[in-house]
PDB file of all heavy atoms in Angstrom:
ATOM      1  N   SER L  21     -15.801 -10.965 -11.260  1.00  0.00           N
ATOM      2  CA  SER L  21     -15.549 -10.656 -12.657  1.00  0.00           C
ATOM      3  C   SER L  21     -14.812  -9.321 -12.734  1.00  0.00           C
ATOM      4  O   SER L  21     -14.923  -8.499 -11.836  1.00  0.00           O
ATOM      5  CB  SER L  21     -16.873 -10.555 -13.401  1.00  0.00           C
ATOM      6  OG  SER L  21     -17.727  -9.646 -12.727  1.00  0.00           O
ATOM      7  N   TRP L  22     -14.039  -9.128 -13.790  1.00  0.00           N
ATOM      8  CA  TRP L  22     -13.390  -7.824 -13.945  1.00  0.00           C
ATOM      9  C   TRP L  22     -14.050  -7.072 -15.095  1.00  0.00           C
ATOM     10  O   TRP L  22     -14.499  -7.697 -16.045  1.00  0.00           O
ATOM     11  CB  TRP L  22     -11.879  -7.984 -14.164  1.00  0.00           C
ATOM     12  CG  TRP L  22     -11.484  -8.633 -15.467  1.00  0.00           C
ATOM     13  CD1 TRP L  22     -11.238  -9.958 -15.707  1.00  0.00           C
ATOM     14  CD2 TRP L  22     -11.298  -7.972 -16.731  1.00  0.00           C
ATOM     15  NE1 TRP L  22     -10.922 -10.163 -17.028  1.00  0.00           N
ATOM     16  CE2 TRP L  22     -10.949  -8.957 -17.685  1.00  0.00           C
ATOM     17  CE3 TRP L  22     -11.401  -6.637 -17.163  1.00  0.00           C
ATOM     18  CZ2 TRP L  22     -10.694  -8.662 -19.028  1.00  0.00           C
ATOM     19  CZ3 TRP L  22     -11.150  -6.345 -18.504  1.00  0.00           C
ATOM     20  CH2 TRP L  22     -10.800  -7.348 -19.416  1.00  0.00           C
ATOM     21  N   PRO L  23     -14.120  -5.739 -14.995  1.00  0.00           N
ATOM     22  CA  PRO L  23     -13.706  -4.926 -13.858  1.00  0.00           C
ATOM     23  C   PRO L  23     -14.626  -5.138 -12.659  1.00  0.00           C
ATOM     24  O   PRO L  23     -15.850  -5.156 -12.801  1.00  0.00           O
ATOM     25  CB  PRO L  23     -13.811  -3.494 -14.398  1.00  0.00           C
ATOM     26  CG  PRO L  23     -14.800  -3.574 -15.516  1.00  0.00           C
ATOM     27  CD  PRO L  23     -14.653  -4.932 -16.109  1.00  0.00           C
ATOM     28  N   ALA L  24     -14.033  -5.296 -11.477  1.00  0.00           N
ATOM     29  CA  ALA L  24     -14.794  -5.558 -10.252  1.00  0.00           C
ATOM     30  C   ALA L  24     -15.339  -4.243  -9.695  1.00  0.00           C
ATOM     31  O   ALA L  24     -14.575  -3.290  -9.515  1.00  0.00           O
ATOM     32  CB  ALA L  24     -13.893  -6.230  -9.215  1.00  0.00           C
ATOM     33  N   PRO L  25     -16.643  -4.183  -9.415  1.00  0.00           N
ATOM     34  CA  PRO L  25     -17.238  -2.925  -8.928  1.00  0.00           C
ATOM     35  C   PRO L  25     -16.553  -2.346  -7.697  1.00  0.00           C
ATOM     36  O   PRO L  25     -16.347  -1.129  -7.604  1.00  0.00           O
ATOM     37  CB  PRO L  25     -18.686  -3.332  -8.628  1.00  0.00           C
ATOM     38  CG  PRO L  25     -18.964  -4.457  -9.580  1.00  0.00           C
ATOM     39  CD  PRO L  25     -17.670  -5.211  -9.652  1.00  0.00           C
ATOM     40  N   ASN L  26     -16.174  -3.205  -6.722  1.00  0.00           N
ATOM     41  CA  ASN L  26     -15.553  -2.663  -5.514  1.00  0.00           C
ATOM     42  C   ASN L  26     -14.137  -2.158  -5.774  1.00  0.00           C
ATOM     43  O   ASN L  26     -13.658  -1.243  -5.096  1.00  0.00           O
ATOM     44  CB  ASN L  26     -15.589  -3.671  -4.359  1.00  0.00           C
ATOM     45  CG  ASN L  26     -14.973  -5.016  -4.699  1.00  0.00           C
ATOM     46  OD1 ASN L  26     -14.663  -5.312  -5.853  1.00  0.00           O
ATOM     47  ND2 ASN L  26     -14.821  -5.863  -3.706  1.00  0.00           N
ATOM     48  N   VAL L  27     -13.462  -2.722  -6.781  1.00  0.00           N
ATOM     49  CA  VAL L  27     -12.124  -2.227  -7.136  1.00  0.00           C
ATOM     50  C   VAL L  27     -12.247  -0.902  -7.898  1.00  0.00           C
ATOM     51  O   VAL L  27     -11.442   0.018  -7.691  1.00  0.00           O
ATOM     52  CB  VAL L  27     -11.351  -3.272  -7.958  1.00  0.00           C
ATOM     53  CG1 VAL L  27      -9.941  -2.756  -8.293  1.00  0.00           C
ATOM     54  CG2 VAL L  27     -11.241  -4.587  -7.179  1.00  0.00           C
ATOM     55  N   ILE L  28     -13.248  -0.807  -8.758  1.00  0.00           N
ATOM     56  CA  ILE L  28     -13.516   0.464  -9.450  1.00  0.00           C
ATOM     57  C   ILE L  28     -13.763   1.566  -8.425  1.00  0.00           C
ATOM     58  O   ILE L  28     -13.215   2.672  -8.521  1.00  0.00           O
ATOM     59  CB  ILE L  28     -14.734   0.330 -10.390  1.00  0.00           C
ATOM     60  CG1 ILE L  28     -14.413  -0.594 -11.564  1.00  0.00           C
ATOM     61  CG2 ILE L  28     -15.171   1.703 -10.907  1.00  0.00           C
ATOM     62  CD1 ILE L  28     -15.612  -0.882 -12.456  1.00  0.00           C
ATOM     63  N   GLU L  29     -14.597   1.241  -7.429  1.00  0.00           N
ATOM     64  CA  GLU L  29     -14.937   2.218  -6.394  1.00  0.00           C
ATOM     65  C   GLU L  29     -13.702   2.624  -5.590  1.00  0.00           C
ATOM     66  O   GLU L  29     -13.484   3.816  -5.305  1.00  0.00           O
ATOM     67  CB  GLU L  29     -16.000   1.630  -5.462  1.00  0.00           C
ATOM     68  CG  GLU L  29     -16.490   2.596  -4.398  1.00  0.00           C
ATOM     69  CD  GLU L  29     -17.472   1.971  -3.425  1.00  0.00           C
ATOM     70  OE1 GLU L  29     -17.847   0.789  -3.622  1.00  0.00           O
ATOM     71  OE2 GLU L  29     -17.853   2.664  -2.461  1.00  0.00           O
ATOM     72  N   ALA L  30     -12.887   1.631  -5.237  1.00  0.00           N
ATOM     73  CA  ALA L  30     -11.680   1.921  -4.458  1.00  0.00           C
ATOM     74  C   ALA L  30     -10.719   2.807  -5.242  1.00  0.00           C
ATOM     75  O   ALA L  30     -10.194   3.802  -4.720  1.00  0.00           O
ATOM     76  CB  ALA L  30     -10.997   0.620  -4.058  1.00  0.00           C
ATOM     77  N   ALA L  31     -10.486   2.470  -6.500  1.00  0.00           N
ATOM     78  CA  ALA L  31      -9.543   3.227  -7.329  1.00  0.00           C
ATOM     79  C   ALA L  31     -10.030   4.636  -7.610  1.00  0.00           C
ATOM     80  O   ALA L  31      -9.222   5.548  -7.823  1.00  0.00           O
ATOM     81  CB  ALA L  31      -9.302   2.477  -8.636  1.00  0.00           C
ATOM     82  N   ALA L  32     -11.352   4.807  -7.612  1.00  0.00           N
ATOM     83  CA  ALA L  32     -11.921   6.126  -7.881  1.00  0.00           C
ATOM     84  C   ALA L  32     -11.868   7.033  -6.656  1.00  0.00           C
ATOM     85  O   ALA L  32     -11.893   8.263  -6.784  1.00  0.00           O
ATOM     86  CB  ALA L  32     -13.364   5.984  -8.352  1.00  0.00           C
ATOM     87  N   SER L  33     -11.769   6.421  -5.465  1.00  0.00           N
ATOM     88  CA  SER L  33     -11.841   7.214  -4.234  1.00  0.00           C
ATOM     89  C   SER L  33     -10.486   7.478  -3.592  1.00  0.00           C
ATOM     90  O   SER L  33     -10.335   8.422  -2.819  1.00  0.00           O
ATOM     91  CB  SER L  33     -12.756   6.521  -3.218  1.00  0.00           C
ATOM     92  OG  SER L  33     -12.256   5.235  -2.876  1.00  0.00           O
ATOM     93  N   THR L  34      -9.484   6.654  -3.926  1.00  0.00           N
ATOM     94  CA  THR L  34      -8.152   6.833  -3.340  1.00  0.00           C
ATOM     95  C   THR L  34      -7.130   6.143  -4.240  1.00  0.00           C
ATOM     96  O   THR L  34      -7.463   5.146  -4.896  1.00  0.00           O
ATOM     97  CB  THR L  34      -8.101   6.242  -1.915  1.00  0.00           C
ATOM     98  OG1 THR L  34      -6.875   6.600  -1.300  1.00  0.00           O
ATOM     99  CG2 THR L  34      -8.236   4.734  -1.922  1.00  0.00           C
ATOM    100  N   PRO L  35      -5.904   6.639  -4.321  1.00  0.00           N
ATOM    101  CA  PRO L  35      -4.894   5.978  -5.162  1.00  0.00           C
ATOM    102  C   PRO L  35      -4.618   4.544  -4.685  1.00  0.00           C
ATOM    103  O   PRO L  35      -4.357   4.338  -3.496  1.00  0.00           O
ATOM    104  CB  PRO L  35      -3.658   6.865  -5.002  1.00  0.00           C
ATOM    105  CG  PRO L  35      -4.196   8.200  -4.614  1.00  0.00           C
ATOM    106  CD  PRO L  35      -5.387   7.901  -3.739  1.00  0.00           C
ATOM    107  N   VAL L  36      -4.693   3.592  -5.598  1.00  0.00           N
ATOM    108  CA  VAL L  36      -4.451   2.188  -5.246  1.00  0.00           C
ATOM    109  C   VAL L  36      -3.504   1.541  -6.245  1.00  0.00           C
ATOM    110  O   VAL L  36      -3.318   2.035  -7.360  1.00  0.00           O
ATOM    111  CB  VAL L  36      -5.763   1.369  -5.183  1.00  0.00           C
ATOM    112  CG1 VAL L  36      -6.743   1.960  -4.189  1.00  0.00           C
ATOM    113  CG2 VAL L  36      -6.393   1.238  -6.566  1.00  0.00           C
ATOM    114  N   THR L  37      -2.940   0.429  -5.823  1.00  0.00           N
ATOM    115  CA  THR L  37      -2.149  -0.424  -6.704  1.00  0.00           C
ATOM    116  C   THR L  37      -2.766  -1.812  -6.693  1.00  0.00           C
ATOM    117  O   THR L  37      -2.933  -2.402  -5.616  1.00  0.00           O
ATOM    118  CB  THR L  37      -0.681  -0.524  -6.221  1.00  0.00           C
ATOM    119  OG1 THR L  37      -0.103   0.784  -6.169  1.00  0.00           O
ATOM    120  CG2 THR L  37       0.131  -1.411  -7.155  1.00  0.00           C
ATOM    121  N   VAL L  38      -3.148  -2.311  -7.861  1.00  0.00           N
ATOM    122  CA  VAL L  38      -3.646  -3.680  -7.977  1.00  0.00           C
ATOM    123  C   VAL L  38      -2.437  -4.538  -8.354  1.00  0.00           C
ATOM    124  O   VAL L  38      -1.830  -4.335  -9.412  1.00  0.00           O
ATOM    125  CB  VAL L  38      -4.761  -3.800  -9.030  1.00  0.00           C
ATOM    126  CG1 VAL L  38      -5.288  -5.239  -9.065  1.00  0.00           C
ATOM    127  CG2 VAL L  38      -5.895  -2.829  -8.726  1.00  0.00           C
ATOM    128  N   LEU L  39      -2.075  -5.459  -7.473  1.00  0.00           N
ATOM    129  CA  LEU L  39      -0.825  -6.197  -7.620  1.00  0.00           C
ATOM    130  C   LEU L  39      -0.851  -7.199  -8.769  1.00  0.00           C
ATOM    131  O   LEU L  39      -1.858  -7.848  -9.030  1.00  0.00           O
ATOM    132  CB  LEU L  39      -0.498  -6.937  -6.318  1.00  0.00           C
ATOM    133  CG  LEU L  39      -0.422  -6.088  -5.045  1.00  0.00           C
ATOM    134  CD1 LEU L  39      -0.043  -6.970  -3.861  1.00  0.00           C
ATOM    135  CD2 LEU L  39       0.562  -4.933  -5.207  1.00  0.00           C
ATOM    136  N   SER L  40       0.305  -7.311  -9.417  1.00  0.00           N
ATOM    137  CA  SER L  40       0.512  -8.338 -10.444  1.00  0.00           C
ATOM    138  C   SER L  40       1.271  -9.504  -9.836  1.00  0.00           C
ATOM    139  O   SER L  40       2.141  -9.308  -8.970  1.00  0.00           O
ATOM    140  CB  SER L  40       1.317  -7.773 -11.615  1.00  0.00           C
ATOM    141  OG  SER L  40       0.501  -7.436 -12.695  1.00  0.00           O
ATOM    142  N   LEU L  41       0.956 -10.699 -10.284  1.00  0.00           N
ATOM    143  CA  LEU L  41       1.701 -11.886  -9.872  1.00  0.00           C
ATOM    144  C   LEU L  41       2.666 -12.265 -10.995  1.00  0.00           C
ATOM    145  O   LEU L  41       2.383 -12.032 -12.182  1.00  0.00           O
ATOM    146  CB  LEU L  41       0.760 -13.054  -9.600  1.00  0.00           C
ATOM    147  CG  LEU L  41       0.070 -13.115  -8.235  1.00  0.00           C
ATOM    148  CD1 LEU L  41      -0.918 -11.976  -8.065  1.00  0.00           C
ATOM    149  CD2 LEU L  41      -0.636 -14.448  -8.052  1.00  0.00           C
ATOM    150  N   THR L  42       3.792 -12.842 -10.637  1.00  0.00           N
ATOM    151  CA  THR L  42       4.734 -13.324 -11.645  1.00  0.00           C
ATOM    152  C   THR L  42       4.216 -14.640 -12.222  1.00  0.00           C
ATOM    153  O   THR L  42       3.344 -15.300 -11.630  1.00  0.00           O
ATOM    154  CB  THR L  42       6.120 -13.558 -11.034  1.00  0.00           C
ATOM    155  OG1 THR L  42       6.037 -14.639 -10.076  1.00  0.00           O
ATOM    156  CG2 THR L  42       6.631 -12.303 -10.336  1.00  0.00           C
ATOM    157  N   ASP L  43       4.760 -15.035 -13.353  1.00  0.00           N
ATOM    158  CA  ASP L  43       4.374 -16.320 -13.956  1.00  0.00           C
ATOM    159  C   ASP L  43       4.654 -17.470 -12.999  1.00  0.00           C
ATOM    160  O   ASP L  43       3.879 -18.429 -12.904  1.00  0.00           O
ATOM    161  CB  ASP L  43       5.129 -16.538 -15.278  1.00  0.00           C
ATOM    162  CG  ASP L  43       4.627 -15.649 -16.399  1.00  0.00           C
ATOM    163  OD1 ASP L  43       3.458 -15.199 -16.328  1.00  0.00           O
ATOM    164  OD2 ASP L  43       5.390 -15.397 -17.346  1.00  0.00           O
ATOM    165  N   GLU L  44       5.772 -17.366 -12.274  1.00  0.00           N
ATOM    166  CA  GLU L  44       6.136 -18.420 -11.316  1.00  0.00           C
ATOM    167  C   GLU L  44       5.112 -18.494 -10.183  1.00  0.00           C
ATOM    168  O   GLU L  44       4.700 -19.591  -9.768  1.00  0.00           O
ATOM    169  CB  GLU L  44       7.528 -18.150 -10.753  1.00  0.00           C
ATOM    170  CG  GLU L  44       8.021 -19.241  -9.793  1.00  0.00           C
ATOM    171  CD  GLU L  44       9.391 -18.938  -9.222  1.00  0.00           C
ATOM    172  OE1 GLU L  44      10.008 -17.940  -9.639  1.00  0.00           O
ATOM    173  OE2 GLU L  44       9.845 -19.702  -8.343  1.00  0.00           O
ATOM    174  N   GLN L  45       4.691 -17.340  -9.677  1.00  0.00           N
ATOM    175  CA  GLN L  45       3.700 -17.321  -8.598  1.00  0.00           C
ATOM    176  C   GLN L  45       2.365 -17.885  -9.088  1.00  0.00           C
ATOM    177  O   GLN L  45       1.701 -18.642  -8.362  1.00  0.00           O
ATOM    178  CB  GLN L  45       3.527 -15.890  -8.086  1.00  0.00           C
ATOM    179  CG  GLN L  45       4.686 -15.387  -7.253  1.00  0.00           C
ATOM    180  CD  GLN L  45       4.584 -13.914  -6.924  1.00  0.00           C
ATOM    181  OE1 GLN L  45       3.973 -13.139  -7.666  1.00  0.00           O
ATOM    182  NE2 GLN L  45       5.178 -13.511  -5.808  1.00  0.00           N
ATOM    183  N   ILE L  46       1.975 -17.528 -10.303  1.00  0.00           N
ATOM    184  CA  ILE L  46       0.715 -18.043 -10.855  1.00  0.00           C
ATOM    185  C   ILE L  46       0.778 -19.558 -10.968  1.00  0.00           C
ATOM    186  O   ILE L  46      -0.176 -20.265 -10.636  1.00  0.00           O
ATOM    187  CB  ILE L  46       0.421 -17.384 -12.217  1.00  0.00           C
ATOM    188  CG1 ILE L  46       0.081 -15.898 -12.008  1.00  0.00           C
ATOM    189  CG2 ILE L  46      -0.729 -18.095 -12.930  1.00  0.00           C
ATOM    190  CD1 ILE L  46      -0.019 -15.091 -13.279  1.00  0.00           C
ATOM    191  N   ALA L  47       1.916 -20.077 -11.419  1.00  0.00           N
ATOM    192  CA  ALA L  47       2.088 -21.529 -11.533  1.00  0.00           C
ATOM    193  C   ALA L  47       1.969 -22.195 -10.171  1.00  0.00           C
ATOM    194  O   ALA L  47       1.385 -23.286 -10.048  1.00  0.00           O
ATOM    195  CB  ALA L  47       3.432 -21.845 -12.171  1.00  0.00           C
ATOM    196  N   GLN L  48       2.491 -21.545  -9.131  1.00  0.00           N
ATOM    197  CA  GLN L  48       2.425 -22.106  -7.772  1.00  0.00           C
ATOM    198  C   GLN L  48       0.978 -22.207  -7.269  1.00  0.00           C
ATOM    199  O   GLN L  48       0.656 -23.104  -6.486  1.00  0.00           O
ATOM    200  CB  GLN L  48       3.236 -21.242  -6.804  1.00  0.00           C
ATOM    201  CG  GLN L  48       4.735 -21.467  -6.865  1.00  0.00           C
ATOM    202  CD  GLN L  48       5.462 -20.599  -5.852  1.00  0.00           C
ATOM    203  OE1 GLN L  48       5.947 -19.521  -6.158  1.00  0.00           O
ATOM    204  NE2 GLN L  48       5.545 -21.092  -4.626  1.00  0.00           N
ATOM    205  N   THR L  49       0.130 -21.292  -7.691  1.00  0.00           N
ATOM    206  CA  THR L  49      -1.259 -21.315  -7.224  1.00  0.00           C
ATOM    207  C   THR L  49      -2.068 -22.434  -7.873  1.00  0.00           C
ATOM    208  O   THR L  49      -3.085 -22.859  -7.331  1.00  0.00           O
ATOM    209  CB  THR L  49      -1.972 -19.987  -7.521  1.00  0.00           C
ATOM    210  OG1 THR L  49      -2.157 -19.833  -8.938  1.00  0.00           O
ATOM    211  CG2 THR L  49      -1.207 -18.808  -6.966  1.00  0.00           C
ATOM    212  N   GLY L  50      -1.640 -22.884  -9.050  1.00  0.00           N
ATOM    213  CA  GLY L  50      -2.382 -23.917  -9.765  1.00  0.00           C
ATOM    214  C   GLY L  50      -3.632 -23.394 -10.454  1.00  0.00           C
ATOM    215  O   GLY L  50      -4.432 -24.172 -10.981  1.00  0.00           O
ATOM    216  N   ARG L  51      -3.796 -22.076 -10.483  1.00  0.00           N
ATOM    217  CA  ARG L  51      -4.966 -21.461 -11.114  1.00  0.00           C
ATOM    218  C   ARG L  51      -4.654 -21.014 -12.540  1.00  0.00           C
ATOM    219  O   ARG L  51      -3.503 -21.050 -12.990  1.00  0.00           O
ATOM    220  CB  ARG L  51      -5.453 -20.269 -10.288  1.00  0.00           C
ATOM    221  CG  ARG L  51      -6.013 -20.639  -8.932  1.00  0.00           C
ATOM    222  CD  ARG L  51      -7.244 -21.512  -9.041  1.00  0.00           C
ATOM    223  NE  ARG L  51      -7.890 -21.723  -7.745  1.00  0.00           N
ATOM    224  CZ  ARG L  51      -8.839 -22.619  -7.523  1.00  0.00           C
ATOM    225  NH1 ARG L  51      -9.253 -23.400  -8.497  1.00  0.00           N
ATOM    226  NH2 ARG L  51      -9.372 -22.753  -6.323  1.00  0.00           N
ATOM    227  N   THR L  52      -5.678 -20.569 -13.234  1.00  0.00           N
ATOM    228  CA  THR L  52      -5.552 -20.124 -14.616  1.00  0.00           C
ATOM    229  C   THR L  52      -5.075 -18.677 -14.661  1.00  0.00           C
ATOM    230  O   THR L  52      -5.595 -17.816 -13.952  1.00  0.00           O
ATOM    231  CB  THR L  52      -6.915 -20.229 -15.338  1.00  0.00           C
ATOM    232  OG1 THR L  52      -7.361 -21.588 -15.266  1.00  0.00           O
ATOM    233  CG2 THR L  52      -6.806 -19.812 -16.782  1.00  0.00           C
ATOM    234  N   LYS L  53      -4.087 -18.406 -15.500  1.00  0.00           N
ATOM    235  CA  LYS L  53      -3.578 -17.038 -15.655  1.00  0.00           C
ATOM    236  C   LYS L  53      -4.601 -16.174 -16.380  1.00  0.00           C
ATOM    237  O   LYS L  53      -5.258 -16.611 -17.321  1.00  0.00           O
ATOM    238  CB  LYS L  53      -2.271 -17.069 -16.454  1.00  0.00           C
ATOM    239  CG  LYS L  53      -1.669 -15.690 -16.727  1.00  0.00           C
ATOM    240  CD  LYS L  53      -0.379 -15.833 -17.517  1.00  0.00           C
ATOM    241  CE  LYS L  53       0.203 -14.492 -17.921  1.00  0.00           C
ATOM    242  NZ  LYS L  53       1.474 -14.626 -18.676  1.00  0.00           N
ATOM    243  N   LEU L  54      -4.718 -14.932 -15.929  1.00  0.00           N
ATOM    244  CA  LEU L  54      -5.606 -13.968 -16.577  1.00  0.00           C
ATOM    245  C   LEU L  54      -4.937 -12.599 -16.551  1.00  0.00           C
ATOM    246  O   LEU L  54      -4.308 -12.227 -15.555  1.00  0.00           O
ATOM    247  CB  LEU L  54      -6.963 -13.913 -15.871  1.00  0.00           C
ATOM    248  CG  LEU L  54      -8.054 -13.056 -16.526  1.00  0.00           C
ATOM    249  CD1 LEU L  54      -9.432 -13.695 -16.344  1.00  0.00           C
ATOM    250  CD2 LEU L  54      -8.064 -11.640 -15.945  1.00  0.00           C
ATOM    251  N   VAL L  55      -5.054 -11.861 -17.653  1.00  0.00           N
ATOM    252  CA  VAL L  55      -4.459 -10.530 -17.745  1.00  0.00           C
ATOM    253  C   VAL L  55      -5.567  -9.486 -17.799  1.00  0.00           C
ATOM    254  O   VAL L  55      -6.433  -9.530 -18.674  1.00  0.00           O
ATOM    255  CB  VAL L  55      -3.560 -10.409 -18.994  1.00  0.00           C
ATOM    256  CG1 VAL L  55      -3.025  -8.978 -19.113  1.00  0.00           C
ATOM    257  CG2 VAL L  55      -2.403 -11.406 -18.923  1.00  0.00           C
ATOM    258  N   ILE L  56      -5.535  -8.568 -16.832  1.00  0.00           N
ATOM    259  CA  ILE L  56      -6.458  -7.437 -16.820  1.00  0.00           C
ATOM    260  C   ILE L  56      -5.774  -6.296 -17.560  1.00  0.00           C
ATOM    261  O   ILE L  56      -4.705  -5.839 -17.145  1.00  0.00           O
ATOM    262  CB  ILE L  56      -6.798  -7.008 -15.375  1.00  0.00           C
ATOM    263  CG1 ILE L  56      -7.418  -8.182 -14.600  1.00  0.00           C
ATOM    264  CG2 ILE L  56      -7.740  -5.817 -15.378  1.00  0.00           C
ATOM    265  CD1 ILE L  56      -7.640  -7.891 -13.117  1.00  0.00           C
ATOM    266  N   PRO L  57      -6.345  -5.838 -18.663  1.00  0.00           N
ATOM    267  CA  PRO L  57      -5.660  -4.841 -19.501  1.00  0.00           C
ATOM    268  C   PRO L  57      -5.414  -3.518 -18.771  1.00  0.00           C
ATOM    269  O   PRO L  57      -6.182  -3.117 -17.887  1.00  0.00           O
ATOM    270  CB  PRO L  57      -6.631  -4.634 -20.666  1.00  0.00           C
ATOM    271  CG  PRO L  57      -7.515  -5.830 -20.660  1.00  0.00           C
ATOM    272  CD  PRO L  57      -7.634  -6.245 -19.230  1.00  0.00           C
ATOM    273  N   ALA L  58      -4.344  -2.855 -19.152  1.00  0.00           N
ATOM    274  CA  ALA L  58      -4.032  -1.520 -18.635  1.00  0.00           C
ATOM    275  C   ALA L  58      -5.221  -0.600 -18.872  1.00  0.00           C
ATOM    276  O   ALA L  58      -5.899  -0.695 -19.899  1.00  0.00           O
ATOM    277  CB  ALA L  58      -2.784  -0.973 -19.321  1.00  0.00           C
ATOM    278  N   GLY L  59      -5.454   0.286 -17.905  1.00  0.00           N
ATOM    279  CA  GLY L  59      -6.541   1.241 -18.047  1.00  0.00           C
ATOM    280  C   GLY L  59      -7.883   0.756 -17.561  1.00  0.00           C
ATOM    281  O   GLY L  59      -8.860   1.504 -17.588  1.00  0.00           O
ATOM    282  N   THR L  60      -7.942  -0.496 -17.089  1.00  0.00           N
ATOM    283  CA  THR L  60      -9.209  -1.027 -16.584  1.00  0.00           C
ATOM    284  C   THR L  60      -9.646  -0.261 -15.338  1.00  0.00           C
ATOM    285  O   THR L  60     -10.825   0.041 -15.158  1.00  0.00           O
ATOM    286  CB  THR L  60      -9.081  -2.532 -16.271  1.00  0.00           C
ATOM    287  OG1 THR L  60      -8.785  -3.237 -17.487  1.00  0.00           O
ATOM    288  CG2 THR L  60     -10.373  -3.083 -15.681  1.00  0.00           C
TER     289      THR L  60
END
C-alpha cells in the first residue's frame, strides 16, 4: 500500500527517485494504473 513504509524509510535516509512508468508501459503490464501524488 502507499505510502509504503520501506519507501518512506529509504527516502528519509538517502536521496531516492521513485520511477514513473509511461502510459504505454503501464498498458504493457496489463495492470491497473495508479498515481501516487507528489509529496508522498
Side-chain angles (χ1 to χ4, degrees):
S21 53
W22 67 267
N26 55 350
V27 181
I28 292 174
E29 184 184 356
S33 61
T34 189
V36 302
T37 302
V38 183
L39 304 182
S40 259
L41 278 67
T42 66
D43 287 337
E44 183 181 355
Q45 287 172 333
I46 291 171
Q48 281 181 264
T49 69
R51 293 297 188 192
T52 302
K53 178 180 175 179
L54 186 144
V55 176
I56 302 174
T60 297

